[in-house]
Amino acid sequence: MTEVLSEQMGSGSHAGALLEVDNLHVEFRTRAGVAKAVNGVTYSVDAGETLAVLGESGSGKSVTAQTIMGILDMPPGKIAGGEIRFRGVDLLKLPEDQRRKIRGEGISMVFQDALSALNPVFPVGWQIAEMFRMHRGTSRGEAKKKAIELMDRVRIPAAKERVNDFPHQFSGGMRQRIMIAMAIALDPEILIADEPTTALDVTVQAQIMGLLAELQRDSNMGLILITHDLGVVADVADKIAVMYGGRIVENAPVYDLYKNPAHPYSKGLLESIPRVDHKGHELYAIKGLPPNLLEMPTGCAFHPRCPYRRDNCVTDAPPLYTISGTRGSACHYWREVIDDGEH
Ligand code: SF4
């Protein structure tokens, strides 16, 4: 008989990991009702490990990350349950001054849109240097030196000459490098990158992913990569959590998911990216739209779009079933999905 994963096992989480998100629930109170944006998410990441969190817009992947960073717990957002433990301490119970210290020094984040995240009226070097001045009280001269070192580290050519340039004088890829420099300035133990390459062309995307992987290796950071694009994370992630409608629907070591997904949604995502080992295959597009969080479908939230749907899917919400080890799928018919991939 199929077992249901325990909370800890459920999403590839293991007790004692550097960062553990445990059964997190986040809601937004709107005029039209309560939107359950995150619905019992559990995952973990350890030092030196890369977790890719995958899903369409509205799946809850970015809301979870923003909650980890402590930038969401204010109206209309509300943390309705769960814990976020960093080194075993629940961040949700810490006073704001301690939380602020962890932000930047313990856990740091790179946002999607570097142009709006950077201040247009200050030179980039000044903005990087501010991290040291604000958090460490470093002198102006020393902070500027460190800013140049960091610009070098993220491979901005002629860093010394460009330290006084403004954000608009850099390309999109270079601006994203500057954001990464700011995010790693204080040597965080965990780096969260939220769609860090979405606005960039394919070549630059690969370069930024390569840079993140290299920085992670060099400093043994835990890395959480949030993306809607499975193709972008294939080479760099150790494990994947696939999110849909605020829940994790599949978690797996990256190789296992690529080889043979165990949830129809992951399968659809995988079939919609071009793969060199599937030459000649037609690309697939998942039909339908992501669920409306104010009016979630009954039973399995994926049922309106699912080619494997049976009658009970409309009424019975699937738990996260154990497949093996830390692998899980929230699909009643995961065996069938796996079997299809093997033929
Ligand atoms: Fe599809 Fe049913 Fe599985 Fe949901 S539980 S993914 S509707 S087969």
Side-chain angles (χ1 to χ4, degrees), residues 263-264 300 302-303 306 308-310 313 316 318 330-333:
H263 191 282
C300 172
F302 190 57
H303 85 250
C306 183
Y308 287 81
R309 180 185 62 219
R310 309 267 172 78
C313 299
D316 305 339
C331 173
H332 296 305
Y333 301 104

Side-chain angles (χ1 to χ4, degrees), residues 166 168 191 299:
F166 291 86
H168 74 268
L191 180 66

